[in-house]
Amino acid sequence: MTSIERTAYPRFKRLITAHELHLFFSPSRDELEWAADAADCDEHLLALLLILKSYRRMGCFPALEDVPEMVVDFVRRAVELPEGTLTVYRAERTAKHHRGLVRKQAGVTYDQVKARGIVEPSIRKEAAAKNRPADLINIALEKVVEAGLELPGFSTFDKMASKIRTEVNASICAGIHDRMSAAQPAELMRLLEERDSDGTTLFNRLKKPAKGPTWSHFKNLTKRLEWLDELGDTDVWMDGVAAGKITDLAGEADAADASELRDFAPVKRIALVAALTNKARMRVRDDLATMFCKRVATKIKKAKAELEESGSPSGRSSSP
């Protein structure tokens, strides 16, 4: 489950300042009169005012037990209710009736079917490029608020984000697999089994960083690029996949070892290795360019030094 703190879903802050209490939770005269007409006892009056002010602040109904005590005390004192007044409803139908009154007062529509109809395509669209559930939830939150609808509970967003992300990722992995030739998946799986000269799997070779810009390292890096190119055209495999998604898949593969990857379903396993292979090709090309520039810069620096030395008075030969 995604932590609500990682998202923009409205919730009470752990520390609410006196200024915020007065700004967001002070009942106006009109609000007090409206609530007094609707409530039949002090407990219901306090509860109604609390859900009204909380709803106006957050766009959703909190459980009364989740309202911070400092907010309860502030509203209780603001309307001069007895100190021992509790925030309870004697019947659920009263609570439901009060939520309807608050929605009407706030001018917000309660339509969970419509809200879900906005959340689902919003998450699905963003999941094609983003992978963090919190990011997907935040986009959907924004769309529901823009539509003027009451927010579904956080668990609704969380479950939908998890389900849709899983579906989208499975579709992306299947697409990567389907864009390979018949022999290429087996070639990638061979990386998880065969050993390199240092005893590690060939898969581990995909993760190795470049070494210093020596000529021998440059030649070894060139050979690694040739080896990677022989595995297949990763640009074709990743065609249509968002760059961020490729990075996420490659990162997941990079964080695992060969034995862990063997536990994944075949299609996902192949897609993860393919993404890491794609990133490895990009990295080796960048490393080759960087190494070449460094070697050229070193040669130029050395040549300049030799030129300056040959042109200095001490370096000139005396005339016969």
Side-chain angles (χ1 to χ4, degrees):
M1 180 174 180
T2 308
S3 171
I4 191 172
E5 286 78 13
R6 294 180 179 273
T7 72
Y9 194 88
R11 61 192 181 279
F12 287 106
K13 295 168 59 177
R14 293 183 179 179
L15 178 62
I16 303 175
T17 66
H19 174 71
E20 290 171 327
L21 285 172
H22 284 276
L23 182 62
F24 299 115
F25 295 100
S26 291
S28 67
R29 183 186 299 272
D30 289 342
E31 288 172 338
L32 177 56
E33 291 177 355
W34 167 82
D37 288 340
D40 56 3
C41 63
D42 288 347
E43 288 82 1
H44 288 175
L45 173 60
L46 178 58
L48 180 55
L49 286 171
L50 283 171
I51 64 172
L52 171 67
K53 302 306 293 186
S54 297
Y55 193 92
R56 288 193 184 280
R57 175 65 177 137
M58 300 189 297
C60 59
F61 290 108
L64 284 174
E65 60 267 23
D66 292 337
V67 180
E69 191 61 34
M70 62 189 308
V71 174
V72 176
D73 289 341
F74 176 81
V75 173
R76 183 192 294 125
R77 291 194 303 270
V79 297
E80 300 180 349
L81 289 173
E83 189 66 26
T85 305
L86 302 175
T87 54
V88 294
Y89 281 110
R90 296 172 184 173
E92 173 55 31
R93 65 176 180 273
T94 305
K96 183 177 181 180
H97 174 61
H98 279 187
R99 288 194 292 270
L101 292 175
V102 169
R103 292 181 184 110
K104 185 176 180 180
Q105 179 75 356
V108 177
T109 303
Y110 178 69
D111 190 335
Q112 294 296 282
V113 173
K114 186 176 181 180
R116 285 172 176 267
I118 292 172
V119 171
E120 196 275 340
S122 299
I123 291 178
R124 192 170 296 279
K125 179 181 178 181
E126 293 301 315
K130 296 181 173 65
N131 205 46
R132 292 180 65 248
D135 293 336
L136 304 179
I137 290 171
N138 288 343
I139 291 294
L141 279 170
E142 183 179 331
K143 297 298 183 182
V144 174
V145 171
E146 287 177 357
L149 297 173
E150 180 180 327
L151 294 176
F154 178 75
S155 62
T156 298
F157 283 95
D158 187 45
K159 290 175 182 176
M160 292 182 74
S162 177
K163 177 177 179 292
I164 294 169
R165 186 185 70 149
T166 299
E167 294 172 356
V168 170
N169 286 349
S171 176
I172 289 172
C173 290
I176 293 172
H177 178 274
D178 293 345
R179 284 187 288 274
M180 294 181 178
S181 68
Q184 286 170 343
E187 283 296 306
L188 291 185
M189 291 304 93
R190 187 171 59 84
L191 302 180
L192 302 177
E193 304 295 340
E194 294 190 10
R195 299 285 169 174
D196 211 339
S197 58
D198 60 0
T200 62
T201 61
L202 291 175
F203 171 72
N204 208 50
R205 193 190 293 182
L206 298 175
K207 307 179 184 183
K208 289 182 178 179
K211 298 181 180 180
T214 65
W215 179 238
S216 62
H217 292 161
F218 185 85
K219 289 192 294 183
N220 289 336
L221 204 57
T222 301
K223 292 179 180 178
R224 190 188 302 179
L225 180 58
E226 292 173 354
W227 171 71
L228 287 167
D229 287 342
E230 289 173 357
L231 293 175
D233 190 345
T234 60
D235 291 337
V236 172
W237 301 347
M238 300 298 150
D239 184 44
V241 182
K245 214 69 175 179
I246 297 173
T247 299
D248 288 334
L249 292 171
E252 188 174 350
D254 189 54
D257 58 30
S259 61
E260 290 172 327
L261 282 174
R262 294 189 199 105
D263 293 333
F264 284 88
V267 170
K268 182 174 182 180
R269 186 193 318 152
I270 290 167
L272 291 178
V273 177
L276 186 59
T277 303
N278 180 74
K279 284 295 182 181
R281 286 182 76 203
M282 295 172 61
R283 185 177 66 248
V284 168
R285 288 170 179 168
D286 290 343
D287 290 342
L288 277 171
T290 300
M291 193 177 291
F292 177 78
C293 291
K294 286 182 178 179
R295 285 191 57 79
V296 170
T298 300
K299 294 292 185 182
I300 292 175
K301 183 178 180 181
K302 183 178 179 181
K304 285 183 177 179
E306 291 176 352
L307 181 62
E308 290 173 359
E309 183 179 348
S310 65
S312 65
S314 59
R316 292 174 186 165
S317 59
S318 58
S319 57

